[in-house]
Structure formats: structure tokens, C-alpha cells
């Protein structure tokens, strides 16, 4: 076992455990913090697999922006610590288990049916410059579409988040 | 380095955890978190494939997954805030009346 593969398995274990803790956490803030660990671990995995630009983006966008957004929402909604959920639905884990079983069978069948991918990969790295040039040469139309999508998301979030007229009048009184 | 198989196994396990979170948790925020975990697992599988086939297409796709995830979370969280303002609750079972009866 080489050093790189040792790091891969360690990071994979950390990511998996952190994600499991996040999913089962009763306290929403704990879930978010566990998820930050999971995303930072995924960023390291990306770096190990040769995607240095994506590792940076993962930390900036996922672990940074998205998780900060979650923290703000959890704080502003001022919910009880359990998020109002109260763990009243143990039966909900039954359909989740069935879904997991079906997906597990599907993934196993996919891996078994596909081409043999069991030989170890050699390390390689794509420089951020290469990836950037590649994206803007091959996928320039998709970049434009994504910019439209982000603009629409901005407008939609602003529209949904504003206060309605009745609430504003209620504050004025 | 590890074979691609192990990367795919890790990605599918992460995807399973995210899917179970979406189905099992009764909290709108936890459901969005589950979706994030699933998107992240898909990205991991794509990056692994990108290394295996020495092709940048997988990494390019992950860039777009990041952008879509950011857009999805911003709109989703705005909807959660709106829902919480209407009903004072984050339980999806409380939102089964069409038309928002009061």
C-alpha cells in the first residue's frame, strides 16, 4: 500500500464518518459543523485525485459559502435546538433503509457489469490553468447558461426573502 | 494509488447516506443538507473517473455541479425562510394544504 492510497483510505473514512454524524445529528448546528468537516475532507480527496482547482472551489463554495448560509439560516430562524423535529419519526428510517438497500444492489450491479476498473490508478494532476482553458473552450455555452442560472437564483432568492406588504404595514403601526 | 473501484464505492456510500437523509429526516433544512451530500458524492465519482480516463470532462462537469448546488441552496433556503415565516415550522408534514389556508 503506497502512501497516497493510505491517505485516500484515511480521508475516505473521515468523510464517511463525518457525513454519517451530520445526517444523524439532532442539533442542526452540529449537523452543519460535521458537514463542514466532510466537505473539507472531500476537497482533500479532490486534491489527491488531481483536481487542484476543484479542491479550492470545494472549500470556497461548499465549505465556505453554502455552509455559512446554512449557519445564518439556523441562527435567524431561532428554532429549538432539535430543529423542532423532536425525533418523533423513528419509522421514517424504515423506507430510508429500503431505499438504501435498493440503491446498494443497483450500485453493486453497476460496478460488476461495467468494465474492470480494479487496477490501481497512477497519480496525475490537472493544473487550474488547464482546467480553466478547457472549460472555456469546450463548455463556453454551459458557462453562459450557468451565469443565467445564478442570476435567476439571485433574483428568486431576493423575491422570496423580501417581506410581504402586510408584514411591512404591520411593522409601521 | 487506489483503483477507481474504491473511489466509486466511497462515492456510492456517500450517495446512500445523502439519500437516506432526504427520506428519513423530517426537517426541511436536513433535507437540503441531504441533497448537498448527494451532489458532493456525484462530484467525487466524476473526479475519480476524470483521473482514471485522463480526461478533463469530469472535472469540468464538477465545476457546473458546484454552480448548480450554489443556486439550488440559495433558492431552497429562501423557500425555507418563507415557509417558516408562514407556519412557524420546518416539518414538511405541516405543509400539506394547497393554497396556504390560514
Amino acid at each position: 500500500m503506497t502512501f497516497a492510497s493510505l491517505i485516500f483510505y484515511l480521508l475516505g473514512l473521515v468523510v464517511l464518518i463525518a457525513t454519517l454524524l451530520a445526517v444523524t445529528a439532532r442539533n442542526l448546528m452540529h449537523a452543519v459543523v460535521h458537514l463542514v468537516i466532510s466537505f473539507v475532507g472531500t476537497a482533500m480527496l479532490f486534491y489527491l485525485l488531481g483536481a487542484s482547482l476543484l479542491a479550492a472551489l470545494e472549500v470556497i463554495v461548499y465549505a465556505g459559502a453554502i455552509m455559512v448560509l446554512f449557519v445564518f439560516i439556523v441562527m435567524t430562524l431561532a428554532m429549538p435546538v432539535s430543529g423542532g423535529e423532536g425525533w418523533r419519526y423513528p419509522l421514517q428510517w424504515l423506507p430510508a433503509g429500503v431505499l438504501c438497500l435498493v440503491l446498494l444492489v443497483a450500485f453493486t450491479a453497476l460496478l460488476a457489469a461495467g468494465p474492470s476498473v480494479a487496477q490501481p490508478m497512477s497519480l496525475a494532476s490537472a493544473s487550474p490553468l488547464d482546467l480553466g482553458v478547457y472549460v472555456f473552450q469546450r463548455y463556453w455555452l454551459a458557462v453562459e447558461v450557468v451565469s443565467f442560472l445564478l442570476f435567476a437564483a439571485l433574483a428568486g432568492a431576493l423575491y422570496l426573502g423580501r417581506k410581504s406588504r402586510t408584514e411591512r404595514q404591520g411593522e409601521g403601526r | 494509488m487506489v483503483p477507481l473501484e474504491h473511489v466509486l464505492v466511497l462515492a456510492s456510500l456517500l450517495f446512500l447516506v445523502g439519500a437516506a437523509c432526504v427520506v428519513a429526516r423530517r426537517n426541511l433544512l436536513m433535507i437540503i443538507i441531504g441533497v448537498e451530500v448527494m451532489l458532493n458524492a456525484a462530484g467525487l465519482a466524476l473526479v475519480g473517473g476524470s483521473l482514471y480516463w485522463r480526461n478533463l470532462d469530469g472535472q469540468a462537469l464538477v465545476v457546473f455541479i458546484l454552480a448548480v448546488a450554489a443556486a439550488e441552496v440559495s433558492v431552497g433556503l429562501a423557500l425555507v425562510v418563507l415557509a417558516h415565516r408562514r407556519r412557524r415550522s420546518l416539518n414538511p408534514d405541516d405543509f400539506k394544504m394547497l393554497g396556504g389556508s390560514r
Side-chain angles (χ1 to χ4, degrees), chain A residues 93-104:
Chain A
W93 290 96
L94 191 70
V98 172
L99 176 70
C100 276
L101 211 63
V102 171
L103 281 178
L104 204 62

Side-chain angles (χ1 to χ4, degrees), chain B residues 1-100:
Chain B
M1 252 309 265
V2 292
L4 175 62
E5 213 169 21
H6 295 187
V7 181
L8 292 181
V9 166
L10 178 64
S12 18
L13 284 179
L14 278 176
F15 190 91
L16 281 183
V17 174
C21 180
V22 170
V23 174
R25 295 304 297 261
R26 300 286 83 190
N27 185 322
L28 291 174
L29 280 175
M30 289 307 294
I31 289 175
I32 296 184
I33 282 179
V35 173
E36 290 305 304
V37 171
M38 285 197 284
L39 285 171
N40 203 34
L44 186 59
L46 281 170
V47 170
S50 184
L51 176 64
Y52 183 78
W53 280 288
R54 298 297 149 109
N55 193 335
L56 276 177
D57 283 326
Q59 294 194 16
L61 208 51
V62 177
V63 174
F64 297 120
I65 289 183
L66 278 172
V68 169
E72 172 249 327
V73 158
S74 59
V75 175
L77 286 179
L79 279 170
V80 166
V81 170
L82 192 69
H84 186 262
R85 208 181 280 160
R86 289 235 170 127
R87 282 285 163 88
R88 298 279 145 208
S89 161
L90 286 182
N91 191 333
D93 289 341
D94 289 343
F95 300 99
K96 49 192 173 191
M97 301 289 280
L98 284 177

Side-chain angles (χ1 to χ4, degrees), chain A:
Chain A
M1 185 183 279
T2 62
F3 186 60
S5 56
L6 186 71
I7 293 181
F8 175 85
Y9 292 124
L10 273 179
L11 277 176
L13 203 65
V14 167
V15 168
L16 206 55
I17 291 174
T19 313
L20 274 172
L21 284 174
V23 164
T24 52
R26 300 172 81 159
N27 187 328
L28 277 175
M29 201 58 100
H30 291 178
V32 171
V33 172
H34 286 312
L35 215 57
V36 169
I37 298 173
S38 158
F39 285 150
V40 170
T42 313
M44 291 184 197
L45 278 180
F46 281 1
Y47 192 81
L48 197 64
L49 293 173
S52 43
L53 179 65
L54 289 179
L57 279 180
E58 174 96 3
V59 171
I60 294 169
V61 175
Y62 264 110
I66 292 180
M67 286 300 117
V68 167
L69 211 55
F70 268 103
V71 169
F72 269 121
I73 296 297
V74 172
M75 288 194 296
T76 51
L77 292 191
M79 281 168 304
V81 162
S82 64
E85 193 173 15
W87 220 244
R88 286 170 294 170
Y89 302 92
L91 265 184
Q92 281 292 328
W93 290 96
L94 191 70
V98 172
L99 176 70
C100 276
L101 211 63
V102 171
L103 281 178
L104 204 62
V105 171
F107 285 142
T108 315
L110 268 178
L111 272 179
S116 172
V117 286
Q119 67 271 31
M121 300 183 279
S122 54
L123 281 174
S125 179
S127 76
L129 181 66
D130 286 343
L131 181 59
V133 168
Y134 192 83
V135 166
F136 275 100
Q137 275 182 348
R138 292 279 196 92
Y139 295 103
W140 58 271
L141 188 60
V143 172
E144 296 299 321
V145 172
V146 158
S147 73
F148 271 112
L149 175 73
L150 286 173
F151 180 70
L154 172 68
L158 278 176
Y159 175 75
L160 290 172
R162 86 201 193 298
K163 290 193 167 170
S164 65
R165 193 169 292 157
T166 53
E167 277 175 307
R168 241 177 281 148
Q169 282 172 350
E171 274 178 11
R173 259 185 273 134

